[in-house]
Amino acid sequence: MPASATARPSPAQRLELIQHAATQLFAERGFAATTVDDIAKAAGLTKPMLYRHFESKQELCVALLTRARADLIEVPLARFRPGIAEPQSQVPAMVDAWFEHVQRHPHDTRLLFTPITGDPEVERVQMELHALQAATQAALLRELAPELEDVEVDALATLMRASLGAIALWWLERPEVPREVPVRALLRSFRGIYTGFGESHVTPVRRDSDELSTTEIQAKES
């Protein structure tokens, strides 16, 4: 068998090459400025190979946005255990895990939180994913402070989602800044929320590797 045949990537490998190249290009150049030719070239594939996986640049970007949001929300929720006596004590570890994921996946983060222009459908999907992000924050707040009214929960959840995205993008532009800086800044901003429902302090980050249940929060999100 010729060497070129043995070196041909499998369908799964092609998909990974496409997703990696497209995420980086969309994050760095923007959706509108990136072409299918650009993606295929960066992935080391032909356009027909790319179209075997995605019918359009639009479909590809939507898939990447959806994956980025799912991955980003799963990481902190894996650190949350519903029903414990002091649920607020888990927040520092969740925030630290969130920023660790941002650090490891900067292009996914930029793609998710930088406003997309150039395609109404992709713009709509990005806004819907941001709304889902806020819904997850609202579900978490209801676990932390069940006495809050729904309208206030929605307002605070929107604030938290916007803060997470804004600080993540700020930090990605300053890679020399240690991770504890954005973590500490976000926790300072959240401290007012804790004070508002009786929690006047946050505890230090606990770096354990235990996987915690997230079923209740995910169920509320859906």
Side-chain angles (χ1 to χ4, degrees):
M1 182 178 294
S4 60
T6 61
R8 179 177 297 178
S10 68
Q13 290 171 328
R14 286 201 306 266
L15 178 60
E16 182 59 32
L17 288 169
I18 292 166
Q19 291 175 326
H20 178 78
T23 300
Q24 182 169 348
L25 289 172
F26 287 149
E28 292 178 349
R29 301 182 184 180
F31 175 82
T34 301
T35 67
V36 173
D37 284 317
D38 294 332
I39 298 168
K41 182 178 179 180
L45 303 171
T46 64
K47 285 176 65 176
M49 285 183 178
L50 189 151
Y51 283 125
R52 291 179 188 177
H53 295 274
F54 300 97
E55 293 184 358
S56 65
K57 183 179 75 166
Q58 179 191 77
E59 183 184 57
L60 172 55
C61 191
V62 167
L64 294 174
L65 284 167
T66 303
R67 185 182 71 166
R69 185 261 164 187
D71 290 347
L72 193 57
I73 200 61
E74 176 61 27
V75 170
L77 289 185
R79 307 297 298 272
F80 183 78
R81 188 191 303 276
I84 71 170
E86 297 183 2
Q88 298 93 342
S89 66
Q90 301 173 90
V91 174
M94 295 172 69
V95 171
D96 185 67
W98 195 86
F99 277 107
E100 182 180 11
H101 184 83
V102 168
Q103 189 173 32
R104 292 181 176 180
H105 304 277
H107 298 306
D108 300 68
T109 304
R110 285 193 176 96
L111 176 62
L112 182 61
F113 291 118
T114 302
I116 292 175
T117 60
D119 187 293
E121 177 63 15
V122 178
E123 294 172 23
R124 181 189 65 79
V125 169
Q126 187 185 47
M127 291 180 65
E128 287 182 353
L129 291 173
H130 288 178
L132 283 174
Q133 192 86 10
T136 301
Q137 300 295 337
L140 177 62
L141 280 171
R142 290 186 179 96
E143 291 285 341
L144 299 176
E147 71 276 13
L148 291 178
E149 295 183 1
D150 284 346
V151 65
E152 186 173 0
V153 167
D154 289 343
L156 290 172
T158 300
L159 173 64
M160 293 172 70
R161 187 211 64 79
S163 297
L164 284 164
I167 296 180
L169 292 176
W170 174 88
W171 184 42
L172 289 176
E173 294 301 318
R174 298 162 178 82
E176 74 282 357
V177 174
R179 188 168 82 231
E180 53 264 30
V181 173
V183 169
R184 188 166 58 245
L186 197 64
L187 290 174
R188 288 183 188 278
S189 71
F190 286 173
R191 187 172 290 123
I193 297 176
Y194 303 143
T195 303
F197 50 74
E199 179 67 25
S200 61
H201 68 280
V202 294
T203 56
V205 172
R206 295 181 298 180
R207 300 178 185 275
D208 57 71
S209 58
D210 294 339
E211 291 189 4
L212 305 177
S213 170
T214 62
T215 303
E216 294 182 22
I217 292 179
Q218 291 170 330
K220 290 183 180 182
E221 177 192 344
S222 61

